[in-house]
C-alpha cells in the first residue's frame, strides 16, 4: 500500500471521528444546553448541511491549488471547528463549530478519493478508495467509542478537544506523506461543472443521498432508541457504537472488493438488504441481542454502498472528477441531514424512537429503484457526457 494512502486514511480517521462522535453524546449535550433530543439532533443535521455546502464551495475555491494544499487546508478547518465546539458556551456556538468543521469534510474526501484513485492502476481504484475510507470506518470502531467514553466520564467538551487532536495528527500525516500533485491542467470550474450534465452522475448522487440517508435515519437516534426502547444502560451505547463501527469496517472492505468487478449487482444487493434490515430494526429494537446484531448489519450494508457509489461517480466524471467527487461526498451528508431531520420530525410527532427506521426504509427503497433505473439505462447504451480516464501517477 502506498504510504500516501496511509496518510489519507489518517485524515479520514479524524474527519470520521468528528462526524459520528456526536451521536453517542446527544443526551449529554441536550442536557447541558437544556434543549430537547430532536433539537440536539440539529448538530447532526447542521454538520451534514455544512458538508453539502462546503463540498462544492471549498473545492471551487481551491480549483487552482495543489491537491495536497487543499487537503492540508481542510484538516486545518477540522481542528479549528472542533476547538470552537469544545469551548462553545451556547448551543448556537456549538452548532457553529460543527459547521466550521463540516466545511472540511466534502472537499477532503472528494479530493482524497481522486488522489487515492491516481495512486493505483485503474482496475484497483475502488479498492484504493476503500482503503482511504477505512480511516472513516476505523473511526467508528475506535475514535467514536473512545470519544463517547471520554464524554460520558469527563464531559463532552473533552471529546471535542480529543477530536481536534486527532485532526492535528491527520494533518501532520498528510503533510509528511502525501506527494505534491499540481492542480489538473483542465481544472477550470466550468470544466468541472460540465460533468453534471451526465445523467449517470446525477443518478449516482441521488442514490447516495437516499441510500446512505437511510442509515442515518436510524443511527442518529441510536442512543435514545437503545436506552429508552431496548433497555440498555447509557454506558452500553459506547459498545453498541463499536459494533456499528465493526459493521462499517466490514462493509467498506466488502464494497471495495466487489465494486471493481460487480458494481451494479453489489448496489442492488446492499440496498435491498439494507431496506430489509431497517424494517426489521423496528422489531429487533425491543430485544438486546437482536438489536445489537441489527446494528452491525446496518453498518455493514450501509457502508458497503460507499466505495461503489464513489467509484461510479469517478468513472462517469473521469475527465473532471474533483468537484463531482466532492459533491458526491456532500450527497452522502445531504442524505444524513434530511434523514436526521425526518427522524426528529417523526419522534417529535409522538411515533416513538423506532419510527425513524421506517423513514430509512422509504429512503433506501427509492435509492434501490434509482439503481435499477441507472443499470437499465446503461445496458441500453444511453449516451452520456464523454469522459477521459484519470492519469495514474507514481506512488
Amino acid at each position: 500500500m502506498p504510504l500516501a494512502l496511509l496518510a489519507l486514511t489518517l485524515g479520514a480517521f479524524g474527519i470520521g471521528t468528528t462526524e459520528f462522535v456526536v451521536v453517542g453524546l446527544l443526551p449529554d449535550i441536550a442536557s447541558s444546553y437544556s434543549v430537547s433530543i430532536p433539537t440536539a439532533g440539529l448538530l447532526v443535521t447542521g454538520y451534514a448541511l455544512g458538508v453539502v455546502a462546503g463540498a462544492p464551495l471549498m473545492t471551487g475555491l481551491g480549483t487552482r491549488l495543489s491537491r495536497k494544499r487543499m487537503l492540508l487546508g481542510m484538516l486545518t478547518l477540522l481542528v479549528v471547528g472542533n476547538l470552537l465546539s469544545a469551548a462553545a458556551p451556547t448551543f448556537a456556538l456549538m452548532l457553529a463549530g460543527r459547521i466550521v468543521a463540516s466545511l472540511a469534510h466534502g472537499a477532503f474526501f472528494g479530493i482524497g478519493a481522486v488522489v487515492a484513485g491516481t495512486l493505483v492502476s485503474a482496475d484497483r481504484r475502488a479498492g484504493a478508495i476503500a482503503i482511504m475510507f477505512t480511516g472513516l470506518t476505523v473511526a467508528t470502531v475506535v475514535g467514536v467509542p473512545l470519544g463517547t467514553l471520554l464524554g460520558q466520564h469527563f464531559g463532552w467538551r473533552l471529546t471535542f478537544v480529543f477530536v481536534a487532536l486527532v485532526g492535528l495528527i491527520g494533518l501532520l500525516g498528510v503533510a509528511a506523506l502525501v506527494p505534491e500533485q499540481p492542480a489538473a491542467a483542465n481544472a477550470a470550474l466550468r470544466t468541472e461543472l460540465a460533468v453534471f450534465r451526465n445523467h449517470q452522475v446525477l443518478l449516482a448522487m441521488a442514490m447516495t443521498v437516499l441510500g446512505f440517508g437511510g442509515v442515518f435515519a436510524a443511527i442518529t437516534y441510536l442512543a435514545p432508541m437503545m436506552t429508552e426502547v431496548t433497555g440498555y444502560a447509557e454506558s452500553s451505547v459506547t459498545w453498541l457504537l463499536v459494533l456499528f463501527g465493526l459493521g462499517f469496517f466490514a462493509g467498506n472492505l466488502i464494497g471495495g472488493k466487489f465494486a471493481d468487478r460487480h458494481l451494479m449487482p453489489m448496489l442492488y444487493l446492499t440496498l435491498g438488504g439494507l431496506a430489509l434490515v431497517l424494517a426489521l430494526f423496528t422489531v429487533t429494537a425491543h430485544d438486546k441481542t437482536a438489536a445489537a446484531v441489527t446494528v452491525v448489519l446496518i453498518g455493514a450494508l450501509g457502508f458497503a454502498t460507499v466505495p461503489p457509489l464513489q467509484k461510479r461517480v469517478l468513472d462517469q466524471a473521469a475527465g473532471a472528477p474533483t468537484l463531482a467527487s466532492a459533491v458526491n461526498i456532500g450527497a452522502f451528508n445531504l442524505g444524513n441531514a434530511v434523514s436526521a431531520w425526518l427522524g426528529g420530525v417523526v419522534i417529535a410527532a409522538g411515533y416513538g424512537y423506532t419510527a425513524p427506521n421506517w423513514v430509512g426504509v422509504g429512503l433506501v427503497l427509492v435509492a434501490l429503484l434509482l439503481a435499477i433505473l441507472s443499470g437499465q439505462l446503461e445496458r441500453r447504451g444511453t449516451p452520456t457526457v464523454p469522459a477521459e480516464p484519470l492519469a495514474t501517477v507514481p506512488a
Side-chain angles (χ1 to χ4, degrees):
M1 179 179 69
L3 286 178
L5 277 179
L6 176 60
L8 294 173
T9 302
L10 284 172
F13 178 83
I15 291 180
T17 303
T18 300
E19 179 177 19
F20 295 114
V21 75
V22 74
V23 171
L25 298 173
L26 276 185
D28 295 327
I29 295 173
S31 176
S32 176
Y33 288 118
S34 299
V35 298
S36 67
I37 290 291
T39 298
L42 292 175
L43 295 174
V44 176
T45 302
Y47 183 95
L49 290 176
V51 176
V52 174
L57 177 62
M58 296 293 105
T59 305
L61 290 175
T63 299
R64 297 296 182 181
L65 296 179
S66 72
R67 288 168 179 163
K68 180 173 182 176
R69 289 186 180 184
M70 280 296 295
L71 293 172
L72 292 173
M74 296 306 97
L75 289 173
T76 299
L77 278 177
L78 173 71
V79 172
V80 171
N82 278 285
L83 290 177
L84 178 57
S85 291
T90 67
F91 182 78
L93 285 177
M94 168 67 172
L95 181 58
R98 291 284 291 167
I99 292 173
V100 169
S102 72
L103 295 176
H105 189 123
F108 180 87
F109 277 111
I111 295 169
V114 174
V115 172
T118 64
L119 295 172
V120 297
S121 59
D123 63 337
R124 297 171 55 204
R125 187 177 299 166
I129 294 170
I131 289 173
M132 183 192 74
F133 276 99
T134 296
L136 181 61
T137 61
V138 171
T140 64
V141 178
V142 179
V144 173
L146 180 57
T148 301
L149 196 63
L150 285 173
Q152 290 176 344
H153 286 81
F154 303 103
W156 61 263
R157 294 183 187 276
L158 182 62
T159 297
F160 289 93
V161 174
F162 161 70
V163 175
L165 179 61
V166 170
L168 180 60
I169 294 171
L171 187 153
L172 294 175
V174 169
L177 298 174
V178 172
E180 282 287 352
Q181 289 189 16
N186 64 343
L189 186 58
R190 179 179 299 177
T191 303
E192 295 281 348
L193 288 172
V195 300
F196 294 103
R197 291 186 287 118
N198 184 335
H199 68 268
Q200 289 288 11
V201 171
L202 297 179
L203 280 172
M205 290 182 177
M207 286 183 268
T208 297
V209 170
L210 297 165
F212 205 70
V215 175
F216 257 70
I219 295 304
T220 296
Y221 302 98
L222 182 68
M225 190 191 310
M226 292 297 96
T227 55
E228 299 296 327
V229 177
T230 314
Y232 278 109
E234 182 179 326
S235 58
S236 298
V237 173
T238 298
W239 307 112
L240 288 166
L241 289 172
V242 170
L243 292 177
F244 180 65
L246 288 173
F248 257 32
F249 185 81
N252 181 56
L253 295 180
I254 293 169
K257 180 178 181 179
F258 289 100
D260 280 320
R261 291 177 289 176
H262 309 289
L263 193 152
M264 293 309 293
M266 185 68 187
L267 281 176
Y268 302 150
L269 179 63
T270 54
L271 289 171
L274 180 59
L276 176 61
V277 169
L278 285 170
L280 290 174
F281 201 21
T282 60
V283 177
T284 61
H286 295 275
D287 178 82
K288 289 184 178 181
T289 302
V293 172
T294 307
V295 166
V296 176
L297 291 175
I298 291 173
L301 290 166
F303 217 86
T305 66
V306 174
L309 284 171
Q310 194 69 9
K311 181 179 184 291
R312 188 154 181 84
V313 169
L314 287 175
D315 287 347
Q316 298 294 331
T322 306
L323 182 59
S325 180
V327 170
N328 196 51
I329 298 298
F332 282 107
N333 285 270
L334 177 59
N336 297 353
V338 171
S339 63
W341 173 73
L342 288 174
V345 167
V346 295
I347 290 173
Y351 291 104
Y353 286 118
T354 62
N357 298 329
W358 289 115
V359 173
V361 171
L363 294 174
V364 174
L365 286 177
V366 177
L368 177 59
L369 292 175
L370 291 179
I372 294 170
L373 173 62
S374 177
Q376 289 178 340
L377 291 175
E378 189 170 50
R379 285 192 295 272
R380 293 174 185 172
T382 304
T384 61
V385 174
E388 301 174 2
L390 283 173
T392 300
V393 300

